[in-house]
Amino acid sequence: MRNIVLFTGGARSGKSRCAERYAARLSERIVYIATATPDDDEMRERITNHRARRPATWHTIEAPIAVANALNDLTAGTVVLLDCLSLLVSNLLLANESAPEPAIHHEITSLLSTASSRNLTLIAVTNEVGMGIVPAYPLGRRYRDLLGWVNQQVAAVAREVYLVTCGIAVELRTLEAAWNRTVQ
């Protein structure tokens, strides 16, 4: 699974823009997997802004919960930009609120397996939500914990992991302590 690249950071850190620039370096034709749903005016505006930034040669697939299924239909070697894991986890959590762990585990495992078996270059964007205030409500804490787990799973198999802050991407894999590196 060496064709996975992860971009993480806080809200409005510039991680999506950095991931888009990274993807554009690899290919003119990108498959953009969007997990956002236009449920309110503010989210519709965000989606509009993201769409306006993407080149016309990029193909968008809207997959709020079934990203792995969307990857199954892609040609081997395709460059895929998944924006974002944070909303994918949120969507799966809300769709399976009583027991979200199996659905999230299945989706992430399937997503990583499909990306590998289809020889896709998967560039994933996610939020780092574990560095802020502990949410005051159980659903918020559950989301934070589940997304933290997902981020760790994807980072563990990613060739490159970028932390983006203030629009600056720093590659973490090269900075990782030697004693913490796992055999991949």
Side-chain angles (χ1 to χ4, degrees), residues 89-109:
V89 169
S90 176
N91 296 340
L92 289 165
L93 171 61
L94 295 176
N96 302 279
E97 201 169 325
S98 62
E101 290 86 356
I104 292 169
H105 182 269
H106 175 74
E107 180 62 26
I108 298 306
T109 302

Side-chain angles (χ1 to χ4, degrees), residues 89-173:
V89 169
S90 176
N91 296 340
L92 289 165
L93 171 61
L94 295 176
N96 302 279
E97 201 169 325
S98 62
E101 290 86 356
I104 292 169
H105 182 269
H106 175 74
E107 180 62 26
I108 298 306
T109 302
S110 297
L111 185 154
L112 295 173
S113 174
T114 303
S116 178
S117 68
R118 308 279 308 138
N119 194 30
L120 305 173
T121 297
L122 176 65
I123 302 162
V125 177
T126 191
N127 282 19
E128 177 52 61
V129 296
M131 295 169 60
I133 296 171
V134 174
Y137 48 94
L139 185 62
R141 289 190 298 274
R142 194 172 202 185
Y143 171 72
R144 178 207 54 196
D145 294 348
L146 288 167
L147 183 58
W149 176 83
V150 165
N151 289 348
Q152 288 182 54
Q153 299 309 301
V154 176
V157 296
R159 176 183 69 224
E160 299 168 51
V161 178
Y162 293 92
L163 173 64
V164 181
T165 186
C166 303
I168 299 169
V170 177
E171 209 285 310
L172 298 177
R173 182 77 58 216

Side-chain angles (χ1 to χ4, degrees), residues 70-82:
L71 297 181
N72 273 324
D73 297 330
L74 301 179
T75 305
T78 300
V79 177
V80 179
L81 175 53
L82 168 59

